[in-house]
Amino acid sequence: MPRDPYEVLGVGRSADETEIKKAFRRLARELHPDTNSTDPEAESKFKEAAEAYEILSDADRRRQYDAYGHDGLRSGGYAPNFDGFGSVSDLFSAFFGSGGFDSAFGTGRGGRGPVPVQGGDVVVAVSVDLAQAARGERVEVAYEADVRCEHCHGNGAEPGTPIVTCPRCEGSGQLQTIARTAFGQMVRTALCDRCGGDGRIPEQPCSVCHGAGMVREERTLAVDVPAGIADGQRIRLSGRGHAGERGGPNGDLYVLVRVEEDKRFVRDAEDLHTVIDVAAPLAALGTTVQVPSLEGDLPVEIPAGTQPGATITLRSRGLPPIGRGRTGDLHVHVNVVIPRKLSREQRDLLEQLASSLDERNLRAEDEGMLSKLKRVIAG
Ligand SMILES: [Zn+2]
Ligand SMILES: [Zn+2]
């Protein structure tokens, strides 16, 4: 069942023509493939928005929908279907006419001649260990980005050779075709595939970039990974991506940070958890153990009579927060281990101990049945 077109466009039932048009243009701008290369559903969302717009922008169709819903439209012979369009760019041109996206939003020069295009984004992954994530780290990232070809200064022509009018589009930069659609004939305008919309092509392509005007460059960049970063977070470096075309702005560089797993710890936001084994007799006697932390091993006192599942919290030994807040803690979970094998001599000693134990050795100070049960269940 298609969604409610008012909901799709995010307008109220009483929205007027201008509001509807505005809402659609805003959505179209968000979802256009040139601006939205990351959302895999952008195309289907755009089609949905286009269908909603087709219904609400036509007074008859809108009345029919208001009265009888989608069923009413279908019985009235209206069947929205934008699957016949080759691409969203084509669909876009159908709605906004020649010049497509750029002229629709005033970013270009009215559909004729060069249109500035923003450069694409680049994503690069880096990996840090947990200690580096905790203290922050400057890392070198290597990546490739398209930059203007210096041999031809970006115009794609071998220096000293002319740039001529594109013979395919005769300089308009556009090709028009007539398409049959559910609403009758529509003139579709697409960018010329020969000149890419410039209207002009080099007679002799640049020997370095082969006419593209761009070359691929290898770059390295020092990036500060902030203390407290979590696995999968991205750092955006504005303007460090691919160069824009025809005067358009550069794309961005996204540094995807992977935080390697540290087998000694489980991370929970800023807090860390670790488990240490303590032999049962030592837990009874009390002892000092070495506990792993991000700053190296720390001596930690295990008090006499420590029970299985007891937790010792080392304040501020976790990770710092990104932004405001307090540094996390390191929670040391004490795993009291019962010896699994005993020598003859150990067995004799343990038998002596066992026969000397009575209720008073096992009971916590004034521990009732209920609190004991709670402790066992929680453990
Ligand atoms: Zn052309
Ligand atoms: Zn070149």
Side-chain angles (χ1 to χ4, degrees), residues 61-130:
R61 277 201 283 267
R62 186 175 175 183
R63 249 195 313 280
Q64 208 148 21
Y65 176 81
D66 286 344
Y68 309 108
H70 284 291
D71 290 339
L73 286 173
R74 263 195 298 277
S75 60
Y78 174 72
N81 178 14
F82 290 101
D83 290 335
F85 286 89
S87 71
V88 176
S89 306
D90 290 347
L91 181 58
F92 208 93
S93 303
F95 275 98
F96 296 107
S98 76
F101 182 67
D102 294 296
S103 72
F105 299 120
T107 53
R109 290 213 248 128
R112 278 188 72 92
V115 172
V117 177
Q118 176 162 19
D121 295 335
V122 176
V123 179
V124 62
V126 296
S127 179
V128 294
D129 65 31
L130 192 60

Side-chain angles (χ1 to χ4, degrees), residues 166 169 192 195:
C166 172
C169 62
C192 172
C195 63

